[in-house]
Structure formats: structure tokens, C-alpha cells
Amino acid sequence: MALATVGLGAETKAKIPKVAGAGPRSNGVRQFAKALPFIGPSMVGVALFLVVPVIFVFVLSFMNWSGAGPFTWAGIQNWTSIFEFDNAAHSLGVTAYYVLLNIPLQTVLALGLAVMLNRKRRGMAFFRVLYVAPYLSTPVAMALIWFWVFQPQSGAADRFLGIFGITGPAWLESSLWAMPVVAAVNIWQYLGFNMLFFYAGLQGIPPSLYEAAQLDGASKWSQFWRISLPLLNPTMLFVLITDVIGSFQVFDTLYVLTSGGPGTSTQVMSIQIYNVGFQGTRYGEAAALSVLLFGVILIFSVGQFLFFKNRTTYEY
Amino acid sequence: MTSVAIPAPVKATTTPTSHLAQKAFNAGKLTVFYGVLTVVGLAFIVPYVFAVFGSLKPESSILTTPPWVPPMHPVWSNYPNAFLSDPQVATGFGRYMLNTAIVTVALTVGQVFFSMLGAYGFARLKFPGREGIFWVYLATLMVPNIVTIIPLYTEMHYFHLVNTYWGVFLPYALGTPYTIFLMRQFFKNIPQEVIDAARIDGAGDFGVLTRVVAPLSRPVLITAGLIAFVFSWNNFLWPLVIMGSQSHYLLTNGLANFNAGPGAAGYLNLEMVGAIITLVPMLVLFVVFNRYIVRSIQLTSGK
Amino acid sequence: MKQIKWLPLVASAGMLAGTLAATGAIAPPASASPTVHLTYDLWDPHEEIGYKASIAQFEKTHPGIEVTVNDVAYSAYQTKLQEEFSSGTGPDLFWVNTPWLSTWIKDGYLLGLNKYLKDWHVNLSMYYPSLVKLHEYKGVIYGIPKDWDTIAFFVNETYMKAHHLTVPANWTWNPSNGGTFLQFLKEATIDKNGVNATSPKFNGNSVATYAVTVPNAAQTGWENFWQMDGCHVIPAAWASHVSFNTTPCYQTTYFLNELMYKWHVAAPGTLLGSNGTVPNSQDQALFASGKVAMMMAGDWETTPVSELVGKKFKLGVVPLPAGPKGRWSVFNGLIDGVNPHSKNLKQALELERWLGSPASQKILGAGGYIWPAVKSLDPLFAQYWAKKGINMEPFLQEAHGNVVNWPNTPGMNQGLTDMGTTMGPIWLGSQSLSGVTSILQRAYALANHDLQAAGA
């Protein structure tokens, strides 16, 4: 933003009205009162819809509620129930499996595409725009289309394989393939978006670094590994953390494609929270599952942050 | 650096030395390059094509013809049919779209307006506890969405807002920390002199905001509006949880519900219609506001 | 500067739109203003046609009452009602299915009707006694029975004739050798080379037509077989625990798995939708397209199935085979629940009275929509379908034989859902008897937990 800085002389500064007030404390109250109309609404929103729920979910995990009727105290019963009856450990494992299927591949592909498009060739902008198109596309709508693609026999996937004489597996009904399909759909949806982050990061690296390395005889691959990658550490950190946190919460695509099935093979934590809470009407247990998920995500984000923090290099 | 006197050594690579062969090799590399990009691009286009084709096929051929084959006789009536469905109960996609539009407009306007107010307060007003309160806002960004769904639903039950429009957009319409964070950065960068000039003209806090800060922040306001609009349009879990009646469904849970009923296996063509109806506004937004979307991504990554 | 002037305007417009929406001012246009407006929720679009005809009669005799019929997807029904009751906007009258019955009684969604039944001089003996009892708890009756259904097999008679097959009358099954039931299923299953399953050359991985579909569902699937071998989901109505942890349960379920994956005579559950629970009536599509010769179904499916089949083949009905404990069928019936907090309680009760009356049930029975709960009206339904060439007698025979209710106890709906998910692998692949046993034991633990959590 190019803003013309207006130079004000001392005389004009003196004419700027000051906030009137007697002493420091009433000054503070006054200041707060003046600020209230501005920060008030968001304070109400944050308090009611963010702070209170975070506290309440902890409390609720020690209570019982069925969606109607009274709240009753449950002690730690919910915390044992979620492991004994609600497949908490299994769901965590399935979620971790999904993250493993989704993140490494998506990050590598996004980085690869960003490197490819980081050239001054014709059509680069077009491809960049094209790849990002799925980002805005309503995940539920896309999931419905992919659901059709992976329908046994009549869907595009099986028909395509059929051209080569291969009988496709039951895809979404196969406990082996269901999760990879879900991961693939998610990669398709967010690949372009992540690519843009890496692209922005690459664009921020001064070309002089590459030129110097070129003159030293470094190959393109070596340049990538020794220059681009280390300097992309902040971007990588950001992308990985947001993607992992996002993956732990995957819901829309999964709900439409498999709803946790077949059996419990794609029953990630978010689906279980939904199932236990809104189908099973055991809101206390669902709250406990939510807190458990929150804890896992926090551990992950902190761990990821620390890992990359020590490796970030900024000097160049 | 290499000394000039010694002639450059022959590179120990497999690059052919003849000029023509070099050109051919480069052309080959270029073809592979664009080839890869095109194949990837196809992967991104193909689902939309399938959906458009499928939405125009009759029930009899949606399962029997390959999805990449265009419909022989496009059934254009699929679209108005999906819109209307059951006029008396009005649970067609027309109704879902109306519901989504209402909720999305309310959410977007509210979120942008109140975030603007909040961001201005945190950026340019001095008051006790400013940093502390803002830190609380930032802290809530660490809380994943799924974690608050259960307690939020319980709150809405208590307020009797379950299954209402208010229940869907209210949690997001009073300004959100993320949007406030984005706007605050911008507002902080506005030079004090410009503000002072407005104050000399007699503007109070609100006047400074409306006359100076907001117009100068048009890009971030538009970006925030886009973020809010897209979020609301695509939001699924919360509407799924809070909206029980079919007549209140938004596009997202209406779509998912379509796939849940008996006989849905035969309705795939209508499901594709629903998907296209939901996707078109987003794709239009994407094309029109492409610059802002890219900018929002850059803003988010802090570049 | 001028861009900002519209901002407060847009903000107010947005808030106004939201408020209008919330207060319901934006609503589908109403017809000429009636005195009282009732909402009536149901989930079956085929029966809906019959109900609309009956309600048209009601509106004629009750000018000043207009009824809006809401067709809600079955999978969303329970959630919808719970959320509407939560915000005080529940429908005036609504269908009640047995898995939700006891939970809704406990949560206060249903009005007790004893006083009104007395005032209306309703003669309860004209209804099937088990249905009246089903909807009674601690002496309070919560609805007038209005219909019933049992389970049997739809048969592709054209296919049977073409292969010179006749479904045996009085066929039997048992978990050890399958009885005449399994024998017939083998004869009726034909692979892509035209070889049937009795031959050693039969290729179970390349089947052209399966003999039967048995879904992963209580009402239209395993509960019937369980009962026939002495296995009960719950020991009695309103029980506090489930009871399907006995050997007959394991044996029978293993038998069903063998039908699909050992003898390949039943369509594999992978063709029956998520976990084999036919959420989108996949079995109807399979049957109508000729991929299976018989389909285990409830009589409410007659309308959609006959529409799907059309003129493709002749549709017939045969009763279930008899198991070691005889032939049993799940017998279910619905009521219309009355919302105790209805803003138009008086009119809602009028509608309840009408829909429970023989006059209304006559319309539904004679139109072929569902068996009426008034015993004497049964012939109407049978006659309607007899005229279309479909013999509905087997359903009626079963209703007069051994019947078991869909399990009715608080938390059972959640229990059935968990059972469906947990038992999914039994429908999706081959299992050993010990595999089936441990799966069912897991389902047993989950179902018990659901019942306890619901305060059964």
C-alpha cells in the first residue's frame, strides 16, 4: 500500500484533541469505556462461543447428558468408557494413519509442483490458478462427486480400470482401500492451496543465491536441497502444522464417502465424536473424546514447532 | 570464480554436443514439463466435467453410461426439478440455497463488520488490558473447531437456538480472532499522520474508522469478506449438527442428506445437480476474486 | 470515502435478513389462511401418498384445520425430532418407530392418551393386541396402533419358472446343515457359466444370480433368524440389558455369513451398501435388476419394489423358512405420537383420533399402502395387491403365527446402530465361527453400554 506520509508540523500536532481525564485510574476506565463499542461484540463472541465452550467441554467430559433431560455427574466414568466402548484408541490410530497417508505425500507433491511452477515460462499463472480451484470447492459437494467416481462397477475409477481389463476393488467398501481413497480425495482438494504457500516461499528467496550456487557448479538438485529447502523451513513449518491440525479434524469428506466405514476402518476421531454425541446421544463421552483429541493435537503442534524451530535458518 | 585464461572444461554430462540435438533435447524436456502439468491439470478438471455430464443424464443412464461420455439428450429439467423437489414442503435445492444465502450474508456481514470494529480497537485504541485480551483471542486460535462442537451444541440447546438460523451463524458473526488478527496488522500499519489529520477534522473514533482506516483497508476487508463467505457457504459440520429440519437445511447438509435416503443409488444424477448448484457460486467467486484469494493465502502465511 | 457509506446499510440489511429468517417471516407462501395449522412428520414417501389422501378426508370433515405433511429422511428423523423438541418447535403429530419409542416416552415427547381414548370410546380390542401392548408403558397408552408389517421374501417368479424351480412350502433351516432352505438356495444360485451351486463345478466368485439377499439389519434381516433359533436381542420390553450373547446367536449369525461367503448363495454384503445395512435400499435395486432371485423384505417395500420391477418379471411372495424354534417373523407397527407441548393440542388430538380410526385405516389399506392395525381391515390390503397379481398372504400368515417385536427399550436405537457398525465385518467378508463370536460379543458390550447410558 503506497500511502503518502503527511508530514505534520509541531503546530498541527498541538491542535490534536487530547483525551480528557482527571487521574490515571479513571483515565483507564474511560479509555476502556471508549473502546468497548469496538471490542465489545467480539469479546462477547469470543467469550460465549470460544472461551466458554473450551472450558465447558472439559466439565462436560465428567458429566452425562443425553440431549434431553438433566445433566448428571459421571466422575471419570466417561474417560474409561471412551476407551472401553467408544473405540477411542482405535480412532486415534485410524486418525494417525490418515495423517500419515495424507501429509507426507501432499507436502512432497505441493512442493514439487511449486518448484515446477516457479519458473518464468508461459502458462505458469494459468496452471497455478487451475490447481487452486478445488480449494474453494465445497468439500461436501466434491466428496459426493468422488463418491460416484469410486462406486463399484458404475463409477469412473472401476470403468477406467476395466478398460485395461482390471477389476477394481470395492474401494469405499474395502477396509484396505477406503482410507487411501479418502486421503487421495483430500490431497486433491488441498494440493493447490499448499502449493501456493510453497510458491510464495520460493518467491521470497533471492535469485542471487541460486546464481552464486550455479557459478560454484552446484546442480539444480543440490541447489534445491541446500538452498530452497532450508530457506523454506518457516513455510514448511507453517504448512505442516496447519495441515496436520487440519487432518486431525477431517470430517466433511469422510462423512460423505464412508461415514467411518467399512466397519470401523475409517472411523477417525472427529467421526467418532459426531457419532457418540449426536447418534449415540452420549454427550459426556463425546466431550471426553473431544478433549482427548485436543490434547493430541496440542502435543503434535508443539512438537512440530519445536522440531522446526531449531532447524530454521534465516541468515543469508 | 573460474580464471578466464583456461578454456572452460568440457562438462562431463550426457548433454549432446550438436546444436540441433540440444534443441531437440530441450524441446523434449519442455514437452515432458508441460505434459506433467497438463496431466495434473486434467486430474483437477475431470471431476467437474463428470459432475456436469452426470447432472444432465436421466436416471436410466447415470449408472449405465461411462461418466466421461456426455449425455446424448441432456435432461435440462433435472435442474428445475432439483430446485423445486416438493413444493409444499419446499425441501428442494432452491430452499437449501435460500437458507445458505441468508445464513452466509448474515455471517459475512457480521463477521467483517464486528471484526473491523474489534481490530480497530486493538490496533489503534489504548485501553487497559488490551494486550491481555488480544492474547486470549490468539490463544483461542489454537483450539480446533471439532473440539468446541459438542459444548457449542449444548449451549445452543440451553439458549433454545437449536434448529434456527441464528444458531447457525451466531457463533461466527460477532467477529472472529482470525479475522481480527488479519485486520489488526493492516490497521496498525496506517500512518499516525493520516489518523491525526482526520482527528483534526473533528472525527471521533468511529469517524476515524469509517472515514480513514476502512477505505484504506479495502483489500483486507474484501479478503476478510471472502474468507467469511466461503467459510459459511462450505460449512458442513456445524449446520449438520444444529439444523434438524429439512426445510432449514443448508446446501451442504442437504447434499449429504440426499445421499442418505432410500433409493439414493438411483438419484446420482440429481445429486450431481445439487453438487453443481453448490459449486458454481464458489467457482465464480474464485475466478472473480482470484487475486484476493492468493493474497489471503500470503497473508495467512505471514509473508 | 463514498464506499463506506453503504457499509452500515449493508450491515443492517444483513442483520435484518437474519432476523427475518429467524422469526420465520421468510417462509413458503401459505395458501388461503386456515384457522389452525398442524405439522405431521413421517418418513415414507410412498405411504405419504396414502396419508395425504386420508388427511384430505380429515380436512373436509374438519374445516379450519390444515395439515402440512413433512417427509423426513429416515436417517435424519430421530435427530430432527430431538433438535426440534430441544428448541420447542416439535411437530404436532409424528410417526413413532419402535427403536425410539421408549426413549421418547422417557424424554417426554409423547402424550399419554388414556383419558382421550376413553372420551372417544375407542374400542381397543379391534386392533392387534400385541401392538396395543407394545405402545403401552406403566399403564399409559401413547398412541393408537395404525398399521403393522411382517417380513417375508419377494420372489422373481419368472426366474424361478425359467429354471424349473419351485420354492418349497414349509421349508426349514438350521445352523448345522441349512435344511431345505439352503438346499433350495443352492439350486437357485447360478454362476456365469450357467452352473448352479449344487454342482462341484460351481464358481462362487463368478455368480450371475444370487438366490437371496439378507441385509445387516434387525427388522429385515438377522432378528428373524435369531428368534427362530432361540436367540433374543432383549429378554423383554424395557429391559435394562441385551441378551444376544448366547450360542444360538453366534451359530445363526455364522450361518448367515456362510450363506454369503462359504456357499455364495446370498449376495455379499459388499453389494448392500455401507456395512451391508442397505442404507439406500441397495437390495431393492439388486432384486429389480435380476441380480438376486429373492429379497428378504418387509411388506411396506411392496410399493417401491413393484415400481422398480415394473413389467420386467412377475413378482411373488413366499414366507420365511422355519428354524429350529419354528417360524418367527419380526412384527412391527407404528403409532402417531402426539406432542404434549403442541400449540394446537386440541386439533392435534383430532388428527390422532382420525388416523387411528378404521375409516382412515380403510383408505390406507385399500390403497395398498400398508396393512391396517384394525384386524378386520386386513383383507383390503391383500385384495389391492391381489388385483395387481401379487399374493400378500404370506405376510398375513406370519402375522398370525409366531411374532417378535422389534426390541423396545431406552437406548435401543443407539444400540442397533452400534450393532450394525460392529457386525459390519460379518457382512463384508468371510468369518470363522470364533470370529463371529468375538464380533457379536463386542456388539453385545457396546449395546449394553448404550442401554445403560440411556438409563434403561
Side-chain angles (χ1 to χ4, degrees):
Chain A
M1 281 185 308
L3 287 172
T5 44
V6 179
L8 289 179
E11 338 75 66
T12 17
K13 276 203 170 104
K15 288 202 201 127
I16 296 168
K18 269 209 197 129
V19 177
R25 215 186 283 159
S26 65
N27 201 23
V29 170
R30 255 207 134 92
Q31 282 178 332
F32 198 82
K34 286 189 81 176
L36 205 53
F38 293 92
I39 61 170
S42 57
M43 275 175 70
V44 170
V46 168
L48 261 186
F49 301 119
L50 284 170
V51 176
V52 165
V54 168
I55 300 172
F56 190 44
V57 76
F58 280 90
V59 174
L60 193 53
S61 70
F62 295 101
M63 313 190 79
N64 273 336
W65 186 54
S66 69
F71 290 79
T72 57
W73 184 252
I76 61 159
Q77 202 184 46
N78 291 336
W79 285 95
T80 53
S81 290
I82 57 174
F83 288 99
E84 200 182 334
F85 301 109
D86 299 329
N87 287 333
H90 171 76
S91 286
L92 279 177
V94 171
T95 313
Y97 178 50
Y98 171 73
V99 172
L100 274 175
L101 278 179
N102 189 16
I103 301 300
L105 185 58
Q106 186 173 151
T107 312
V108 166
L109 287 177
L111 187 52
L113 282 179
V115 166
M116 279 183 84
L117 292 176
N118 189 30
R119 292 168 205 249
K120 288 182 177 42
R121 290 198 182 148
R122 283 217 294 257
M124 295 296 99
F126 166 73
F127 280 112
R128 277 203 309 275
V129 170
L130 179 61
Y131 295 170
V132 179
Y135 169 59
L136 284 197
S137 302
T138 317
V140 171
M142 292 320 303
L144 219 55
I145 300 175
W146 287 110
F147 180 79
W148 178 33
V149 167
F150 285 104
Q151 280 303 287
Q153 284 157 10
S154 64
D158 271 355
R159 281 185 190 271
F160 184 68
L161 287 178
I163 297 178
F164 304 103
I166 309 172
T167 334
W171 297 120
L172 297 170
E173 277 308 311
S174 146
S175 48
L176 177 64
W177 287 102
M179 197 50 116
V181 167
V182 175
V185 169
N186 192 270
I187 291 176
W188 180 91
Q189 184 107 31
Y190 295 109
L191 184 56
F193 176 68
N194 285 322
M195 177 204 73
L196 271 190
F197 279 111
F198 284 123
Y199 177 75
L202 284 171
Q203 291 269 294
I205 300 175
S208 53
L209 289 179
Y210 293 116
E211 287 162 17
Q214 183 90 7
L215 288 169
D216 278 346
S219 67
K220 280 260 181 320
W221 177 250
S222 175
Q223 288 174 34
F224 172 75
W225 199 255
R226 301 258 177 95
I227 300 174
S228 313
L229 214 46
L231 289 175
L232 277 178
N233 261 356
T235 314
M236 185 73 84
L237 170 72
F238 180 79
V239 167
L240 281 177
I241 290 187
T242 30
D243 278 2
V244 167
I245 293 181
S247 293
F248 271 109
Q249 301 178 64
V250 60
F251 186 83
D252 300 15
T253 311
L254 234 151
Y255 181 89
V256 172
L257 286 178
T258 62
S259 264
T264 56
S265 58
T266 61
Q267 207 174 59
V268 295
M269 279 298 271
S270 54
I271 291 277
Q272 259 311 67
I273 291 173
Y274 176 77
N275 280 345
V276 171
F278 296 99
Q279 307 276 353
T281 67
R282 301 191 296 283
Y283 289 87
E285 288 175 26
L289 283 171
S290 306
V291 173
L292 182 63
L293 180 62
F294 187 20
V296 171
I297 292 181
L298 268 183
I299 294 174
F300 248 95
S301 336
V302 169
Q304 218 170 13
F305 181 76
L306 290 174
F307 177 80
F308 274 91
K309 193 168 184 296
N310 299 334
R311 284 167 157 72
T312 304
T313 49
Y314 288 102
E315 315 89 30
Y316 51 89
Chain B
M1 300 293 173
T2 48
S3 60
V4 183
I6 305 166
V10 174
K11 291 205 193 86
T13 64
T14 51
T15 318
T17 47
S18 94
H19 190 60
L20 208 60
Q22 175 80 33
K23 263 188 124 178
F25 185 70
N26 285 343
K29 280 209 292 190
L30 214 61
T31 318
V32 170
F33 178 78
Y34 278 106
V36 168
L37 289 181
T38 311
V39 167
V40 172
L42 272 179
F44 284 114
I45 295 186
V46 145
Y48 299 102
V49 171
F50 287 171
V52 170
F53 285 172
S55 67
L56 292 169
K57 287 185 181 167
E59 262 163 54
S60 52
S61 68
I62 187 74
L63 290 175
T64 51
T65 59
W68 50 77
V69 167
M72 284 234 285
H73 309 285
V75 183
W76 298 102
S77 60
N78 279 347
Y79 277 84
N81 281 348
F83 258 90
L84 294 174
S85 191
D86 183 347
Q88 187 180 31
V89 188
T91 56
F93 276 92
R95 178 79 196 192
Y96 301 156
M97 192 169 239
L98 178 68
N99 292 339
T100 312
I102 291 172
V103 164
T104 301
V105 166
L107 191 153
T108 305
V109 168
Q111 189 171 117
V112 173
F113 184 65
F114 291 118
S115 292
M116 188 178 67
L117 289 183
Y120 179 70
F122 287 109
R124 309 226 65 119
L125 295 181
K126 283 195 180 48
F127 54 90
R130 186 179 74 174
E131 298 309 309
I133 297 176
F134 190 65
W135 260 105
V136 173
Y137 279 33
L138 284 186
T140 63
L141 287 178
M142 297 272 322
V143 179
N145 198 29
I146 184 78
V147 168
T148 53
I149 291 290
I150 299 285
L152 259 184
Y153 176 79
T154 316
E155 266 186 51
M156 289 300 172
H157 169 81
Y158 184 73
F159 293 140
H160 293 291
L161 287 180
V162 172
N163 205 31
T164 62
Y165 292 105
W166 283 102
V168 179
F169 68 76
L170 199 55
Y172 310 104
L174 290 175
T176 56
Y178 179 68
T179 317
I180 291 177
F181 171 73
L182 274 186
M183 291 185 181
R184 178 175 169 270
Q185 295 293 106
F186 252 71
F187 292 178
K188 273 180 103 104
N189 288 335
I190 294 177
Q192 185 65 35
E193 294 86 359
V194 180
I195 310 269
D196 293 341
R199 283 212 192 276
I200 290 173
D201 285 344
D205 288 327
F206 195 73
V208 171
L209 174 61
T210 52
R211 281 198 241 155
V212 171
V213 175
L216 289 172
S217 309
R218 215 166 136 251
V220 78
L221 290 181
I222 293 181
T223 304
L226 262 182
I227 292 176
F229 193 93
V230 170
F231 168 78
S232 176
W233 193 265
N234 294 347
N235 201 13
F236 177 54
L237 178 52
W238 182 241
L240 176 69
V241 156
I242 198 85
M243 288 305 214
S245 313
Q246 235 157 325
S247 58
H248 286 55
Y249 278 174
L250 305 193
L251 281 170
T252 43
N253 47 343
L255 267 179
N257 190 50
F258 217 162
N259 201 34
Y267 293 161
L268 273 170
N269 55 340
L270 293 178
E271 289 183 23
M272 290 304 115
V273 172
I276 296 288
I277 289 176
T278 311
L279 287 171
V280 163
M282 289 294 104
L283 289 173
V284 166
L285 263 183
F286 177 70
V287 169
V288 170
F289 287 101
N290 191 260
R291 269 184 15 250
Y292 290 97
I293 292 163
V294 173
R295 187 197 302 264
S296 83
I297 292 172
Q298 290 172 332
L299 279 175
T300 314
S301 72
K303 293 264 171 272
Chain C
M1 297 303 168
K2 55 183 184 217
Q3 298 106 308
I4 294 305
K5 286 221 179 98
W6 49 260
L7 188 59
L9 209 66
V10 173
S12 330
M15 289 288 121
L16 188 64
T19 321
L20 281 177
T23 53
I26 301 176
S31 48
S33 46
T35 321
V36 168
H37 210 83
L38 293 179
T39 48
Y40 179 46
D41 281 7
L42 47 75
W43 62 74
D44 189 320
H46 306 282
E47 286 184 53
E48 185 186 355
I49 303 172
Y51 273 91
K52 283 191 170 155
S54 164
I55 286 173
Q57 275 290 92
F58 172 78
E59 287 175 338
K60 258 194 230 150
T61 51
H62 294 77
I65 306 182
E66 194 187 88
V67 182
T68 306
V69 177
N70 268 339
D71 178 17
V72 182
Y74 186 74
S75 54
Y77 195 82
Q78 191 257 335
T79 313
K80 173 196 192 273
L81 278 188
Q82 182 173 320
E83 297 205 352
E84 287 187 341
F85 273 95
S86 149
S87 56
T89 54
D92 299 296
L93 225 71
F94 48 97
W95 282 14
V96 179
N97 205 355
T98 309
W100 313 313
L101 175 62
S102 40
T103 306
W104 287 358
I105 291 176
K106 268 189 81 222
D107 287 342
Y109 294 179
L110 300 175
L111 180 68
L113 298 177
N114 295 39
K115 167 173 161 353
Y116 305 104
L117 295 177
K118 225 159 136 224
D119 290 344
W120 301 334
H121 303 292
V122 172
N123 176 11
L124 286 175
S125 63
M126 66 175 155
Y127 304 99
Y128 278 85
S130 63
L131 291 180
V132 178
K133 198 154 174 297
L134 176 63
H135 298 103
E136 182 185 336
Y137 182 58
K138 293 202 171 148
V140 180
I141 297 177
Y142 289 95
I144 306 176
K146 54 183 192 151
D147 57 38
W148 63 263
D149 50 69
T150 50
I151 312 298
F153 288 113
F154 286 129
V155 182
N156 182 339
E157 293 196 344
T158 312
Y159 172 88
M160 296 299 179
K161 213 160 168 210
H163 296 273
H164 311 292
L165 295 165
T166 328
V167 178
N170 303 322
W171 49 352
T172 62
W173 73 274
N174 64 71
S176 14
N177 62 28
T180 47
F181 179 60
L182 177 59
Q183 181 60 30
F184 181 76
L185 292 184
K186 283 185 179 170
E187 291 167 13
T189 304
I190 303 189
D191 71 14
K192 295 208 171 110
N193 294 323
V195 179
N196 77 21
T198 56
S199 154
K201 295 211 197 82
F202 172 68
N203 183 358
N205 295 320
S206 179
V207 174
T209 310
Y210 290 95
V212 74
T213 56
V214 178
N216 177 7
Q219 187 184 21
T220 49
W222 41 261
E223 192 187 351
N224 300 282
F225 285 98
W226 281 10
Q227 194 70 24
M228 290 194 243
D229 199 18
C231 161
H232 313 286
V233 182
I234 50 173
W238 292 84
S240 60
H241 61 277
V242 286
S243 54
F244 58 91
N245 60 342
T246 59
T247 314
C249 307
Y250 310 142
Q251 277 176 179
T252 306
T253 317
Y254 177 58
F255 173 67
L256 296 178
N257 179 269
E258 289 182 303
L259 286 181
M260 288 184 282
Y261 294 104
K262 178 169 170 200
W263 296 304
H264 305 283
V265 298
T270 47
L271 297 178
L272 299 178
S274 165
N275 289 324
T277 57
V278 293
N280 311 122
S281 307
Q282 282 85 344
D283 47 358
Q284 290 179 5
L286 282 175
F287 177 70
S289 65
K291 292 225 174 46
V292 300
M294 296 191 298
M295 177 195 152
M296 194 163 172
D299 48 59
W300 68 87
E301 299 187 69
T302 314
T303 306
V305 169
S306 66
E307 277 173 17
L308 280 174
V309 166
K311 298 228 185 303
K312 285 195 241 178
F313 53 78
K314 180 155 165 36
L315 183 60
V317 181
V318 295
L320 299 176
K325 296 276 191 285
R327 187 184 67 204
W328 288 74
S329 166
V330 176
F331 180 66
N332 193 37
L334 307 181
I335 53 166
D336 295 309
V338 179
N339 180 355
H341 309 290
S342 163
K343 294 187 181 62
N344 303 302
L345 194 54
K346 194 160 156 301
Q347 290 80 359
L349 284 164
E350 287 295 310
L351 184 56
E352 169 77 21
R353 182 181 184 184
W354 165 254
L355 290 173
S357 69
S360 168
Q361 299 195 11
K362 209 181 271 184
I363 298 175
L364 285 158
Y369 299 101
I370 195 73
W371 293 100
V374 177
K375 286 185 297 213
S376 58
L377 297 177
D378 283 340
L380 289 174
F381 182 74
Q383 279 159 22
Y384 173 86
W385 288 104
K387 282 204 204 95
K388 301 214 162 188
I390 303 173
N391 175 20
M392 300 296 271
E393 282 300 307
F395 288 113
L396 189 57
Q397 282 164 29
E398 292 182 353
H400 293 153
N402 298 318
V403 291
V404 61
N405 281 332
W406 210 344
N408 174 30
T409 188
M412 197 64 233
N413 188 45
Q414 293 85 312
L416 286 173
T417 310
D418 282 336
M419 286 166 76
T421 309
T422 312
M423 288 160 68
I426 300 179
W427 261 257
L428 297 176
S430 179
Q431 301 283 346
S432 63
L433 176 57
S434 60
V436 169
T437 305
S438 54
I439 289 174
L440 278 181
Q441 283 171 339
R442 175 81 182 140
Y444 174 80
L446 293 183
N448 260 338
H449 179 67
D450 290 328
L451 262 50
Q452 269 154 39

